[in-house]
Amino acid sequence: KVIADVKAYAEKNPISIGINYENRRSKLDNDLTAYLNRNTKISESFVLLKEADKVRNLISTINDKKSLREATDAFQLYKSSVASVGFNTKSTTDKIKSMFGHVTKISSAFGIASLATKQFVNSAKELKEINTLITEISKANEKLSKSELNKIGDNSFGVASRYGRKATDYLSGVQEASRVGYGNATDIAELSVAAQGAGDMTAKLANQYLIATDKAYKFGGSVEKLTEVLDGSNYITNNNAVNMTELAESMSIVGSTAASFGVDVDEATAALGTIATTQQSGSEVARAFKAILLNIRQVSDEEEGIDAEGLTKYENACNALNVKIKETKDGVLSLRDPMEGGCKKFCVYG
């Protein structure tokens, strides 16, 4: 009878008799907090932080054996997931704090706490380079306040890591864009690291590619238009035997010439991609495309070895292929648009 009475009471009063679910909730919540504090590298992963929130939400709903079991299992699974990706350790920030606890100059430049990044900066040389770049950015744009420089430094690791690049790759983009005079240097720099990540190209080439294209086509630093160019180039490289480095290098060289002849950026990119399938270097592709444009537009260029005799031979060769580089409009004989005339068919005939 006593056993039956106690059992009946326990079932009606689970908080005071039997399992104390409030205590279990509190303990699991504290265990999760302690785990996150102990393994601070988790803070570098947005996905793992979101998963931690899901586990905490499950813990907050514990009110019976089933929900307790589900929350406990979820917590254990979460710890296994963290361990499987190697995030059950200290964050980059904490590691660098312990390694460079006395690097006051660098910490004052952009805040040592900003070093939470998947790209672990494991040498004083790297930190020195970051500090140097921030100093150069301040020289290139004297309007930037100390707090704005701090913010650029703070954001550099997070922005770069999203594209699998180093903070210095991003900061060199900010420096170069600032030097050229862009008011949106940080946006241009982020697009640069996106290009670097997509095309596995150097920061120097990516910066050169974007700035040269922007200047050639007078985009005025429009990130939207430059993103369209980058997307188009990426599409071409994904669907043809061409890499982004070749396209970027060739566009940096011939972009201004193509633009001056009225060739749209998407047409220029497509033409360069077509020529690049010959597996030539970016500079060779650029020279080939430039030669095509000069011949179609009947422009001699001593540096490129194109003279009047050569232009005549080129026109005759095009005529033999039934490719007319001249047309009559309103009774006036004039040269055709390069992409409507010989250039498209030249790419076809090789």
Side-chain angles (χ1 to χ4, degrees):
K1 184 179 183 307
V2 171
I3 292 174
D5 289 344
V6 170
K7 181 179 179 181
Y9 186 82
E11 289 175 351
K12 293 180 181 179
N13 303 276
I15 299 302
S16 57
I17 301 295
I19 299 175
N20 190 322
Y21 293 108
E22 184 177 353
N23 286 347
R24 290 296 183 92
R25 281 198 303 271
S26 179
K27 184 179 184 306
L28 270 179
D29 190 77
N30 290 339
D31 288 347
L32 176 59
T33 299
Y35 182 77
L36 295 174
N37 289 337
R38 187 167 62 254
N39 301 292
T40 51
K41 188 174 177 61
I42 292 171
S43 64
E44 299 173 14
S45 169
F46 176 76
V47 174
L48 290 179
L49 287 176
K50 292 292 290 183
E51 290 301 314
D53 288 339
K54 291 180 182 179
V55 174
R56 199 181 294 277
N57 287 337
L58 278 176
I59 292 173
S60 67
T61 62
I62 293 175
N63 58 10
D64 54 26
K65 288 183 179 180
K66 181 182 178 182
S67 57
L68 173 60
R69 183 173 59 256
E70 289 175 348
T72 302
D73 290 345
F75 186 24
Q76 293 301 322
L77 180 60
Y78 177 71
K79 289 193 287 186
S80 297
S81 299
V82 171
S84 68
V85 293
F87 275 66
N88 55 334
T89 183
K90 292 289 185 182
S91 70
T92 304
T93 299
D94 292 334
K95 288 179 179 178
I96 292 180
K97 278 183 178 180
S98 64
M99 290 172 62
F100 305 105
H102 300 292
V103 189
T104 55
K105 181 180 179 181
I106 295 174
S107 64
S108 64
F110 54 84
I112 200 73
S114 69
L115 301 179
T117 171
K118 290 161 71 173
Q119 302 297 319
F120 175 46
V121 185
N122 59 3
S123 70
K125 180 180 178 181
E126 180 78 10
L127 290 175
K128 183 178 180 181
E129 186 178 352
I130 290 170
N131 188 53
T132 299
L133 282 168
I134 292 177
T135 301
E136 292 301 318
I137 291 169
S138 68
K139 292 179 181 178
N141 188 349
E142 296 180 351
K143 294 181 180 180
L144 289 172
S145 65
K146 185 177 179 180
S147 62
E148 288 173 324
L149 283 171
N150 288 344
K151 186 176 181 180
I152 291 173
D154 289 342
N155 293 340
S156 64
F157 293 91
V159 173
S161 66
R162 283 203 296 272
Y163 303 99
R165 308 300 295 187
K166 297 188 297 183
T168 50
D169 294 329
Y170 169 75
L171 291 174
S172 66
V174 178
Q175 177 197 5
E176 187 62 20
S178 298
R179 187 187 64 78
V180 174
Y182 286 102
N184 60 340
T186 54
D187 295 330
I188 297 293
E190 180 167 357
L191 193 56
S192 174
V193 291
Q196 294 167 45
D200 193 25
M201 69 180 81
T202 65
K204 181 178 180 181
L205 178 57
N207 296 334
Q208 182 180 331
Y209 169 44
L210 292 173
I211 293 173
T213 302
D214 179 64
K215 296 300 181 184
Y217 287 95
K218 298 179 174 57
F219 289 155
S222 171
V223 172
E224 181 180 358
K225 290 181 179 178
L226 288 172
T227 300
E228 290 177 0
V229 173
L230 183 59
D231 287 343
S233 298
N234 194 44
Y235 179 83
I236 289 174
T237 60
N238 287 339
N239 291 276
N240 299 278
V242 184
N243 63 57
M244 188 75 84
T245 297
E246 292 167 352
L247 277 182
E249 184 182 357
S250 55
M251 180 62 85
S252 300
I253 296 172
V254 78
S256 59
T257 300
S260 68
F261 287 156
V263 180
D264 290 340
V265 65
D266 56 341
E267 294 176 329
T269 303
L272 290 170
T274 301
I275 300 172
T277 57
T278 59
Q279 301 301 306
Q280 302 298 310
S281 68
S283 60
E284 290 174 316
V285 168
R287 288 193 61 188
F289 186 43
K290 184 177 181 180
I292 293 171
L293 292 174
L294 291 171
N295 277 286
I296 290 175
R297 300 301 292 174
Q298 295 289 280
V299 177
S300 60
D301 189 312
E302 184 177 344
E303 184 179 338
E304 296 295 331
I306 299 175
D307 54 21
E309 183 182 355
L311 292 174
T312 300
K313 289 181 178 179
Y314 185 91
E315 183 177 4
N316 291 336
C318 286
N319 289 335
L321 292 171
N322 197 31
V323 177
K324 305 297 182 182
I325 63 175
K326 295 178 181 178
E327 63 181 349
T328 301
K329 282 188 176 181
D330 300 324
V332 178
L333 182 65
S334 61
L335 293 167
R336 296 178 66 186
D337 180 287
M339 297 308 293
E340 292 302 323
C343 194
K344 279 183 180 178
K345 290 190 178 180
F346 186 92
C347 290
V348 172
Y349 287 112

